[in-house]
Amino acid sequence: DEEGVEIVKAGWKLAGGDSDTDRFDKEHPASLIADVSIADGTLGLASSMRGRETHVPRTGAQLHGFLLPDWHEARELCAQAATMFPMLRIQHWDVALTDHGPVLLEVNDIGAIGWLQVFGSGILTPRLKALLRTHADPAKYRWVERLCR
């Protein structure tokens, strides 16, 4: 909005089992998602379709408290890239954390954000509610009125 870019929520997805995708659904029950601290990139709670997870099934590595590499660089990269699309007021970035630093894969509008709700706090902050009230097309997004009451 007029105040600039705000990163509201972050999550981490990891392919699980024999899957080569990070999809989080019934067809990929071993894939993991984890809540990420926006401040420092540490993993919080993690889940698969089977329930809460404490360790990566393939490696046994502990999930809770794991610090994602290059987190501050990834945040800065997303914030800078967001300014390239000023009319896309809600952006959902997919970022790969690689040996060569963070790499932007794609940007979506709201995107598939349902999995972010698993950890009890979604993306609907007071600032985002105000943005939706001001800019969402009520004919296209009838749910906005109910959501922003």
Side-chain angles (χ1 to χ4, degrees), residues 69-90:
D70 301 320
W71 179 250
H72 295 287
E73 293 85 350
R75 279 185 27 195
E76 183 61 27
L77 185 61
C78 289
Q80 287 176 356
T83 65
M84 300 294 132
F85 304 97
M87 297 308 291
L88 187 58
R89 295 179 182 274
I90 299 175

Side-chain angles (χ1 to χ4, degrees), residues 4-142:
V5 175
E6 176 187 22
I7 298 176
V8 175
K9 185 82 173 164
W12 181 67
K13 295 169 72 179
L14 178 67
D18 295 330
S19 179
D20 59 356
T21 178
D22 67 357
R23 287 185 49 204
F24 185 75
D25 57 25
K26 291 177 184 175
E27 294 176 24
H28 302 87
S31 291
L32 301 173
I33 58 173
D35 198 27
V36 176
S37 164
I38 293 172
D40 64 8
T42 56
L43 298 185
L45 295 174
S47 291
S48 70
M49 291 302 288
R50 299 182 290 233
R52 294 284 187 229
E53 301 285 348
T54 58
H55 293 81
V56 177
R58 286 186 190 174
T59 66
Q62 184 171 332
L63 290 163
H64 192 270
F66 179 80
L67 180 63
L68 294 174
D70 301 320
W71 179 250
H72 295 287
E73 293 85 350
R75 279 185 27 195
E76 183 61 27
L77 185 61
C78 289
Q80 287 176 356
T83 65
M84 300 294 132
F85 304 97
M87 297 308 291
L88 187 58
R89 295 179 182 274
I90 299 175
Q91 300 176 16
H92 168 177
W93 286 93
D94 290 348
V95 180
L97 302 175
T98 76
D99 292 344
H100 303 288
V103 175
L104 297 177
L105 300 176
E106 68 175 341
V107 65
N108 298 284
D109 56 7
I110 292 177
I113 60 171
W115 64 275
L116 291 172
Q117 311 301 313
V118 169
F119 304 107
S121 64
I123 66 168
L124 195 58
T125 64
R127 186 172 166 190
L128 184 54
K129 280 185 180 184
L131 183 116
L132 289 170
R133 281 189 198 107
T134 304
H135 298 286
D137 178 354
K140 187 174 179 184
Y141 299 106
R142 296 182 197 283

